[in-house]
Amino acid sequence: MSFLRRSNGADSSKTRVGDPNIEKDGAADDDKKKDQCKIPQRRNYGSKKWSCWDNCCWFIGFICSIWWFCLFLYNTMPDSIPQFVTMAITGPLPDPPGVKLRKEGLTANHPVVLVPGVVTGGLELWEGRHCAEGLLGKRLWGGSFGEFYKRPLCWLEHISLDNDTGFDPPGIRVRPVTGLVAADYFATGYFVWAVVIANLAHIGYEEKSLYMAAYDWRLSFQNTEIRDQSLTRIKSNIELLVATHGGKKVVVLPHSMGVQYFLHFMKWVETPAPRGGGGGPDWCAKHIKAIMNIGAPFLGSPKSIALHFSIEVRDIAALRAQAPGLLDKDVLGLQTFKHLMRMFRTWDATFSMIPKGGETIWGGLDWSPETETVNNSAKKGTDNSTRNTGGNGNICDTKGVNYGRLISFSKDWAETHSSKIERVDFKHVAKGDKLMNSSNCDIWLEYHEMGNRAIKAVADHKVYTAGSILDLLHYVAPKLMARGASHFSYGIADDLDDPKYDQYKYWSNPLETKLPNAPDMEIYSLYGVGLPTERGYIYKVAPPSDCSIPFQIDTSVDGDSEDSCLKGGVFSGDGDETVPIISAGFMCAKGWRGKTRFNPSGIRTYNREYKHAPPANLLEGRGTQSGSHVDLLGNFALIEDVLRVAAGATGEDIGGDRVYSDIFKWSERINIKL
């Protein structure tokens, strides 16, 4: 303490009170000390470095925060705000067809039946394996598809059918969802029938006057009746609708494969029991006012060939090309292409989509209805092409295109005149030399039983038309096609009075069965035009590997010009991206037009085409003028036609035929006995 006092005293003796210099020095020292105290703090903060982990966490947190904030706004803001924003950007929105027609005084009249197509109807689980615990009564198909991501192999096992019986595997029961919710939306935010239903509601329809004819679209058409009595349910519900609406007949709206399913139904319902519904020869005449077929694959679709042959279509092939080998490899125990083909080939209903009518309808080696005659032997100096103008005036240049060649192995064989092609008869080539290490392959694919010699023979055949495509499928997948051939047929009947055509395998083929005796009924074909639609493919033999699918679309092949119909190994024609115009339009343009052997009572038929126009902006969603296969169900012009007919109008009242394509000219080139 004394030391401290002496020190303080010494210091104080040297300090003169009031000396300004000393005060300044003290203040400066204090400031200096403060600055010295601050400097280390700045250095500490500035020296801290962010790791990649910190950046990732902050980025994920930021994205999640924005996502939840937007989700909160979406669920809390009034419904009028998005509409207000859209109107501020695009201007006043047109009235939906239902609102427009209600202002005109149209009201609900005829009950309406909706028939969904392939894959658009929901499926739910009623019994499953141990791996599906907790999914009873939940959707396996449609909705969120959440279970696909959680347990993909289990999901694939349950969504596939038994390869021998065509029904559910033992211990599994998957059944169609019922009611309007079965196919209003395919997945969250992706409408199927929702827009049509909403517009029907605007003019007074409700659930008691609407019926969704849901069925298990995986099963063959006749098997839906054997397992679920789906055809009987449709018959009973239509009879109920007619009875509860004062005898007013129904208007039926089938879409996509539902068109073929309802063709099968019309033959079944009038066939005597037990083979059919026993409704009598005038059942359709008494109960159906009109059938408005939407996106109708009456005569099949080339897409189904590619799916059965290599589980590819244009988009999948392009994806495969961008990531070579990824989808073929065993990623996390899931060999994507192998399992997709395994699943798809168990769905018997898909056989109904294989092209019907052979070369008579789809063309031969050197001609097709869309291009008439192609003179490939004199390509240079001769322009014998036509412009496939269809719905938008410029689909592609058909110069040198042989649409009749559905599959070609190389671009050269797709273009060479038939007189210069020598083809191997693959059907007699034995399949003895199995691929190496094929014991682990799944027999569902059947490809591992072919061997290299058989694969080479398929490629050496070079070109396949609709007349030889069935032979090809029977050769590469005989077990698969044996089952398919027992349920569906693809020819043209010589004599429709032949008793063999009373068998159910012919009922969904409009070229092998008669329309019902219902002269007052009307049949419409409503389809989109103006979109590139798959019409033929160029294939290559894939590099050999264990359990591989040996054939692939050759995405490296393009046409010689920028607007060629050949891009990425796929020939495109006009249509709705899924169904070519020939398939959708021929029957109503010629096959059923007037009294023909396919339409003995002269049911009136109409072709109504909808020219595709893309959405004007992102706020328009999938567009109100789309001609795409599914988006067509949101096309305002189509919905207006449907509503007018449901309210009582006839085909003549809505203007009769409306076409933008050359469907009538193309149909005249098809030489078929009527």
Side-chain angles (χ1 to χ4, degrees):
M1 292 296 291
S2 61
F3 172 78
L4 290 175
R5 282 196 298 269
R6 285 197 300 271
S7 297
N8 289 340
D11 290 340
S12 62
S13 66
K14 295 180 182 179
T15 304
R16 294 192 297 270
V17 179
D19 189 334
N21 293 327
I22 295 175
E23 290 178 353
K24 289 180 181 178
D25 291 340
D29 291 339
D30 291 339
D31 292 339
K32 187 176 181 180
K33 291 177 180 178
K34 291 179 180 178
D35 291 339
Q36 289 174 346
C37 292
K38 293 178 180 178
I39 289 173
Q41 294 176 352
R42 289 181 187 144
R43 288 176 178 170
N44 289 338
Y45 281 115
S47 63
K48 183 177 180 180
K49 295 182 179 179
W50 285 61
S51 66
C52 292
W53 176 252
D54 293 327
N55 290 329
C56 289
C57 289
W58 274 100
F59 178 75
I60 293 172
F62 175 76
I63 295 297
C64 290
S65 298
I66 295 296
W67 170 258
W68 285 112
F69 179 70
C70 293
L71 194 63
F72 171 77
L73 289 180
Y74 177 79
N75 285 285
T76 56
M77 73 171 61
D79 293 337
S80 59
I81 292 181
Q83 183 177 353
F84 174 79
V85 173
T86 303
M87 291 176 63
I89 297 174
T90 64
L93 298 174
D95 284 336
V99 174
K100 171 187 172 183
L101 297 182
R102 184 179 62 194
K103 292 177 180 178
E104 293 183 13
L106 268 69
T107 58
N109 190 355
H110 293 273
V112 174
V113 177
L114 312 174
V115 187
V118 65
V119 311
T120 54
L123 301 173
E124 57 191 12
L125 183 68
W126 284 91
E127 181 183 4
R129 305 267 196 259
H130 179 72
C131 66
E133 186 176 354
L135 299 181
L136 183 64
K138 295 183 179 179
R139 290 199 182 199
L140 288 185
W141 188 272
S144 66
F145 285 89
E147 297 309 320
F148 172 77
Y149 303 107
K150 294 178 183 177
R151 30 191 150 181
L153 293 179
C154 181
W155 179 84
L156 283 166
E157 180 183 9
H158 285 74
I159 209 69
S160 301
L161 296 172
D162 186 277
N163 199 48
D164 294 320
T165 66
F167 293 103
D168 291 308
I172 292 176
R173 280 187 295 142
V174 176
R175 297 293 181 266
V177 177
T178 58
L180 295 178
V181 296
D184 54 352
Y185 289 91
F186 173 65
T188 305
Y190 189 90
F191 71 80
V192 182
W193 288 99
V195 180
V196 173
I197 293 170
N199 280 278
L200 285 166
H202 281 310
I203 64 170
Y205 281 90
E206 51 190 273
E207 195 156 10
K208 68 182 181 183
S209 51
L210 292 172
Y211 168 58
M212 181 73 74
Y215 60 99
D216 191 335
W217 43 263
R218 302 171 303 159
L219 302 177
S220 71
F221 299 161
Q222 193 66 12
N223 280 351
T224 65
E225 172 64 15
I226 294 172
R227 195 194 72 179
D228 300 333
Q229 295 76 51
S230 293
L231 299 174
T232 297
R233 294 173 190 273
I234 295 174
K235 174 177 180 285
S236 299
N237 277 283
I238 290 177
E239 290 172 346
L240 179 63
L241 286 171
V242 172
T244 55
H245 286 77
K248 293 178 180 177
K249 302 176 186 178
V250 300
V251 173
V252 185
L253 308 179
H255 174 245
S256 189
M257 193 185 74
V259 169
Q260 296 181 335
Y261 187 66
F262 199 76
L263 278 175
H264 181 99
F265 168 81
M266 286 195 296
K267 190 69 177 179
W268 172 87
V269 75
E270 294 190 347
T271 298
R275 289 187 304 111
D282 58 352
W283 189 95
C284 291
K286 289 180 178 178
H287 294 89
I288 302 174
K289 173 191 185 294
I291 307 171
M292 306 189 76
N293 302 288
I294 303 172
F298 285 119
L299 302 176
S301 172
K303 266 190 174 182
S304 68
I305 297 173
L307 286 168
H308 281 102
F309 191 51
S310 66
I311 203 62
E312 291 176 296
V313 289
R314 177 171 49 207
D315 295 338
I316 295 177
L319 177 62
R320 192 180 203 171
Q322 292 173 3
L326 177 63
L327 297 178
D328 300 288
K329 292 179 180 178
D330 190 353
V331 179
L332 300 178
L334 180 63
Q335 290 174 306
T336 307
F337 269 84
K338 174 184 173 183
H339 286 290
L340 282 176
M341 176 168 277
R342 171 179 178 171
M343 175 183 69
F344 183 79
R345 283 187 167 186
T346 68
W347 296 346
D348 286 353
T350 61
F351 292 108
S352 70
M353 302 292 285
I354 292 175
K356 301 174 176 64
E359 294 184 7
T360 301
I361 299 293
W362 295 93
L365 288 174
D366 296 315
W367 83 280
S368 67
E370 299 97 320
T371 55
E372 199 168 12
T373 301
V374 180
N375 182 15
N376 299 89
S377 60
K379 287 174 59 179
K380 294 185 178 181
T382 303
D383 187 356
N384 51 22
S385 68
T386 60
R387 175 73 63 173
N388 187 348
T389 56
N392 67 5
N394 190 25
I395 294 298
C396 60
D397 185 0
T398 62
K399 182 179 179 180
V401 176
N402 293 348
Y403 282 129
R405 306 184 184 194
L406 298 180
I407 286 181
S408 304
F409 279 88
S410 85
K411 181 182 177 182
D412 289 340
W413 298 126
E415 297 176 343
T416 302
H417 192 271
S418 60
S419 61
K420 298 182 179 181
I421 300 176
E422 295 182 3
R423 296 188 287 175
V424 172
D425 185 4
F426 63 91
K427 291 181 290 184
H428 301 294
V429 175
K431 300 180 181 180
D433 58 331
K434 294 186 179 182
L435 297 174
M436 294 178 61
N437 300 324
S438 63
S439 58
N440 295 325
C441 293
D442 195 318
I443 198 170
W444 259 347
L445 299 187
E446 299 191 62
Y447 275 130
H448 68 277
E449 296 185 339
M450 289 183 63
N452 293 318
R453 185 171 56 187
I455 291 171
K456 184 178 184 298
V458 168
D460 286 344
H461 193 69
K462 300 178 179 65
V463 178
Y464 295 85
T465 67
S468 56
I469 207 73
L470 291 174
D471 291 334
L472 171 64
L473 293 177
H474 275 286
Y475 183 73
V476 300
K479 299 174 184 175
L480 169 82
M481 290 302 293
R483 195 176 73 248
S486 66
H487 292 284
F488 300 101
S489 181
Y490 311 101
I492 302 175
D494 292 325
D495 180 10
L496 287 168
D497 293 322
D498 190 324
K500 80 172 187 177
Y501 292 110
D502 292 335
Q503 187 182 355
Y504 61 77
K505 66 182 266 185
Y506 301 102
W507 293 349
S508 61
N509 182 356
L511 299 174
E512 294 182 307
T513 191
K514 299 177 184 178
L515 288 176
N517 183 20
D520 295 330
M521 190 169 78
E522 294 180 327
I523 295 181
Y524 300 76
S525 185
L526 317 175
Y527 53 93
V529 297
L531 286 166
T533 304
E534 293 169 48
R535 187 66 169 79
Y537 304 89
I538 292 181
Y539 271 86
K540 65 180 180 180
V541 176
S545 63
D546 296 345
C547 303
S548 68
I549 298 171
F551 308 108
Q552 294 180 9
I553 294 174
D554 191 351
T555 55
S556 66
V557 178
D558 290 318
D560 297 329
S561 62
E562 186 176 343
D563 61 347
S564 171
C565 292
L566 174 60
K567 293 185 184 300
V570 179
F571 286 104
S572 296
D574 197 359
D576 66 3
E577 288 186 311
T578 297
V579 181
I581 290 176
I582 283 294
S583 180
F586 172 76
M587 291 309 299
C588 284
K590 183 175 181 177
W592 289 332
R593 183 64 57 126
K595 285 190 176 183
T596 70
R597 65 193 185 106
F598 305 110
N599 180 17
S601 65
I603 296 172
R604 293 182 299 279
T605 62
Y606 302 96
N607 287 62
R608 303 280 290 179
E609 296 182 348
Y610 303 90
K611 191 191 309 185
H612 174 75
N617 51 66
L618 291 176
L619 296 173
E620 200 175 310
R622 288 153 63 191
T624 60
Q625 301 179 64
S626 176
S628 183
H629 188 63
V630 177
D631 295 355
L632 190 61
L633 291 168
N635 185 296
F636 277 13
L638 179 143
I639 294 173
E640 182 173 335
D641 286 346
V642 166
L643 266 58
R644 289 189 183 278
V645 172
T650 65
E652 294 301 323
D653 294 334
I654 65 172
D657 294 314
R658 182 183 63 203
V659 298
Y660 302 99
S661 72
D662 292 325
I663 180 59
F664 288 106
K665 182 169 72 175
W666 296 342
S667 297
E668 285 306 311
R669 293 175 182 165
I670 295 174
N671 185 17
I672 188 171
K673 184 176 72 174
L674 297 177

